[in-house]
Amino acid sequence: MSIKKLCKSYTNLNDKDIKKLEKVASQIQIMANLTRSDIFIDVLSRESGVAVVVAEARPFYGPSHYKERVVGKFAHRHNEPAAIRTLELGMPTRDLRAITQEEQMVRQNVVPIFNDEKAVIGCLIMESDVYKSEQEHAKIKMLTETAEKLSETLMGTLQEEILLQPYLNDGIVIFDKNGISQKINPVASQMYRSLGYLDELVGIPFENLALDGNRFEDVCQSVNFKMSEVSIGEMTVKVKYATLSFEDPSLSGLMMIIKDITDQKAIEKELITKSMAMREIHHRVKNNLQTIASLLRLQSRRIMSQEAKKALDESINRVISIAVTHEILAQNGVDEVDIRTILERVMCNAVSIPYEECSINLKITGGTFEISSDLATSIALVVNELVQNSMQYAFVGRKEGLIEINIEKGIMYSSIVVKDDGVGFDIKETRLGSLGMSIVKSIVEDKLKGRFSLESSPKGTKAMFDFRMKKE
């Protein structure tokens, strides 16, 4: 079914809007070739939250996600939120998951199509493989991020119109074989005006428009694709080149794509500054905690009471377990840390304190994942208490023992199990009212929003707690 028939059947678009869509649709095949992706045009139907596919194009030089044609089929909000969002709000949508009409998971980049009155009449969708997208997230850009593939896919006749549409975000300049500018899109024109160019931009030699100091001959003779980054005044841009080669030599030339990354660079600089500040804060907190631990050790050496000395030593272990988290965060400069790394450091601290004559083997099993600094501090405290309890009480009269920590990652809750092969104890009669156990239960329930359980028998003790992966 044609675009006109589909629009007349399912939408309220007028003839002028439909002609606009037909013009864009005439160019989507080259888009599909440029991006090696499936390209569609969707328009809102008269039913709220439902769009209809009015045009499609599959790449000639890459795989498609579709076995059957989908023109005339419907896209619902729960399957394709990116398309519906763009159609309703008129805003581009980047890198959002969707489910195709054939129940395949993809990622969609969507840009709106406007009529002459600046009203949204449809949207242009590029679909890419979701798994490849997750592995190479940094390479997934909007529809215009296709320059890497231009030199391979520009075949047939040159159709500059699709590169000069106003809804593209990159500046594009096309030069002929002699290096004279022939076409320039509105985005590029605006960029050059902001840089102080006052002359007509069409008909200007390449050397007068190049922003990175390259010469036309050098770019044309180099590898098919070339990219550079340059700062001009307060603006930072990424400049990409792709040679245009055709059977007819008169059509050959060069395409220059300019992307304004000023805001992106400012964000990167801000993140670096924040990372350095965060690293310094964690470093100072770690130093302060280590100072406190040192003062407590000095106090411990002067105390004659073994009970008081024991209480101070336990407090020192707790302080150090918190300091461990901040030490790792100070090294990384981020607010997330690998949970296995934290627990390994807690265990190293535990084995540095001798208990009786027993040789205790500690090991960590299970997976690993990153957690926030708040979670890391709380988990380090809890595991430190549980390990210290096992080392003090589980192996009385034994020459050797085993303490194992198991990490299990979940979707909403993850869990940690600390178990030993010690002598066990009667849970109802001993140690539940101790300070250590009170600290454990309080942290697990209040800080980690999880549950704590304890099992013990003559074959050993098993303590398990879980925690929410994300804060509410």
Side-chain angles (χ1 to χ4, degrees):
M1 190 178 294
S2 68
I3 293 177
K4 186 172 183 178
K5 287 184 178 180
L6 286 169
C7 291
K8 291 291 185 181
S9 299
Y10 300 110
T11 77
N12 295 319
L13 296 177
N14 57 39
D15 290 338
K16 187 177 179 181
D17 292 340
I18 294 172
K19 287 183 179 179
K20 177 79 171 183
L21 291 175
E22 289 174 336
K23 181 178 179 181
V24 176
S26 68
Q27 304 294 332
I28 64 173
Q29 186 58 62
I30 192 172
M31 278 189 175
N33 293 341
L34 289 172
T35 62
R36 290 188 176 181
S37 305
D38 296 300
I39 303 293
F40 305 93
I41 296 178
D42 282 15
V43 296
L44 273 179
S45 69
R46 287 187 288 269
E47 183 179 348
S48 176
V50 180
V52 59
V53 184
V54 299
E56 69 174 344
R58 303 180 188 184
F60 289 153
Y61 305 99
S64 171
H65 294 94
Y66 294 83
K67 297 179 181 178
E68 306 292 339
R69 284 179 55 82
V70 295
V71 170
K73 294 188 177 181
F74 296 99
H76 298 267
R77 188 188 304 276
H78 60 273
N79 282 342
E80 300 189 41
I84 303 301
R85 174 186 180 274
T86 296
L87 286 168
E88 291 179 341
L89 303 180
M91 297 173 62
T93 304
R94 299 171 181 261
D95 199 27
L96 199 64
R97 289 193 183 201
I99 299 175
T100 70
Q101 283 80 1
E102 297 179 0
E103 300 300 315
Q104 298 295 316
M105 185 72 75
V106 295
R107 282 197 183 276
Q108 291 184 337
N109 289 318
V110 189
V111 290
I113 301 173
F114 298 98
N115 61 14
D116 296 338
E117 289 73 38
K118 304 301 180 184
V120 179
I121 59 174
C123 67
L124 205 58
I125 304 171
M126 180 185 77
E127 291 187 356
S128 57
D129 186 87
V130 66
Y131 302 108
K132 182 179 179 181
S133 169
E134 290 176 346
Q135 294 171 358
E136 304 181 52
H137 184 71
K139 297 181 181 179
I140 298 297
K141 304 292 182 184
M142 278 194 67
L143 185 60
T144 56
E145 285 292 320
T146 61
E148 291 86 348
K149 303 167 185 176
L150 285 174
S151 59
E152 302 176 20
T153 55
L154 275 173
M155 306 295 288
T157 59
L158 182 60
Q159 302 182 47
E160 298 100 327
E161 289 83 357
I162 193 57
L163 302 173
L164 307 178
Q165 293 293 340
Y167 45 75
L168 295 180
N169 291 340
D170 292 352
I172 299 176
V173 184
I174 296 177
F175 299 91
D176 63 17
K177 62 179 181 178
N178 299 313
I180 305 299
S181 61
Q182 300 297 317
K183 294 282 185 178
I184 183 165
N185 75 340
V187 178
S189 179
Q190 184 177 356
M191 286 182 182
Y192 280 103
R193 297 304 180 205
S194 66
L195 293 173
Y197 283 73
L198 301 178
D199 297 330
E200 173 61 41
L201 297 176
V202 174
I204 293 181
F206 174 87
E207 283 71 17
N208 287 352
L209 291 177
L211 301 175
D212 54 4
N214 277 304
R215 297 173 63 251
F216 182 75
E217 293 79 9
D218 295 337
V219 175
C220 291
Q221 292 173 7
S222 63
V223 188
N224 240 350
F225 177 77
K226 189 172 183 179
M227 180 173 64
S228 59
E229 191 175 297
V230 61
S231 295
I232 309 170
E234 296 182 354
M235 182 184 295
T236 303
V237 296
K238 184 182 290 183
V239 183
K240 307 175 185 180
Y241 299 100
T243 55
L244 306 175
S245 302
F246 301 97
E247 293 182 2
D248 184 354
S250 65
L251 295 177
S252 299
L254 183 72
M255 181 180 296
M256 178 170 66
I257 303 99
I258 311 166
K259 185 175 186 64
D260 185 352
I261 58 172
T262 306
D263 292 341
Q264 177 184 331
K265 285 295 179 181
I267 292 172
E268 289 177 0
K269 185 179 293 185
E270 184 178 353
L271 288 174
I272 291 172
T273 302
K274 287 183 177 179
S275 177
M276 292 175 63
M278 195 179 302
R279 183 178 299 179
E280 179 62 22
I281 290 170
H282 286 302
H283 182 71
R284 293 186 181 186
V285 171
K286 182 260 299 184
N287 286 345
N288 290 338
L289 289 171
Q290 288 181 340
T291 300
I292 293 171
S294 297
L295 293 173
L296 290 173
R297 285 194 188 98
L298 289 173
Q299 187 67 32
S300 176
R301 294 191 187 107
R302 297 182 179 183
I303 293 177
M304 301 303 296
S305 169
Q306 290 301 313
E307 186 176 351
K309 189 179 183 69
K310 180 180 176 183
L312 275 176
D313 288 342
E314 290 178 352
S315 296
I316 291 170
N317 289 335
R318 291 168 188 142
V319 171
I320 291 176
S321 68
I322 300 173
V324 161
T325 301
H326 290 282
E327 182 179 8
I328 295 172
L329 290 166
Q331 294 170 354
N332 297 339
V334 294
D335 198 42
E336 289 193 339
V337 64
D338 182 82
I339 188 171
R340 192 182 187 97
T341 302
I342 289 290
L343 298 185
E344 286 173 349
R345 297 293 292 273
V346 170
M347 293 180 73
C348 286
N349 177 59
V351 296
S352 66
I353 304 172
Y355 287 99
E356 306 298 337
E357 298 297 329
C358 183
S359 173
I360 301 175
N361 180 30
L362 297 116
K363 70 175 184 177
I364 299 179
T365 59
T368 187
F369 47 92
E370 290 192 340
I371 53 176
S372 67
S373 58
D374 288 341
L375 280 179
T377 301
S378 298
I379 290 171
L381 271 172
V382 172
V383 172
N384 177 72
E385 291 295 331
L386 296 174
V387 171
Q388 295 295 334
N389 278 347
S390 290
M391 295 184 72
Q392 290 183 58
Y393 306 109
F395 309 111
V396 177
R398 294 265 298 271
K399 291 185 177 181
E400 60 181 8
L402 170 67
I403 300 176
E404 180 181 344
I405 301 175
N406 180 259
I407 307 167
E408 290 292 338
K409 182 181 180 182
I411 298 175
M412 183 176 294
Y413 284 86
S414 293
S415 63
I416 293 177
V417 176
V418 179
K419 61 181 179 179
D420 61 57
D421 61 353
V423 297
F425 64 94
D426 188 340
I427 295 177
K428 295 180 180 179
E429 296 183 2
T430 58
R431 303 289 303 165
L432 282 182
S434 69
L435 177 61
M437 279 299 166
S438 297
I439 290 174
V440 167
K441 295 183 69 176
S442 175
I443 292 176
V444 171
E445 293 174 3
D446 298 338
K447 298 291 186 181
L448 300 178
K449 307 301 181 184
R451 295 171 298 178
F452 174 74
S453 64
L454 188 64
E455 300 173 5
S456 189
S457 71
K459 294 183 179 181
T461 300
K462 176 181 176 182
M464 190 277 286
F465 68 95
D466 57 10
F467 53 93
R468 285 185 64 88
M469 289 296 291
K470 292 182 180 180
K471 287 187 177 182
E472 295 179 349

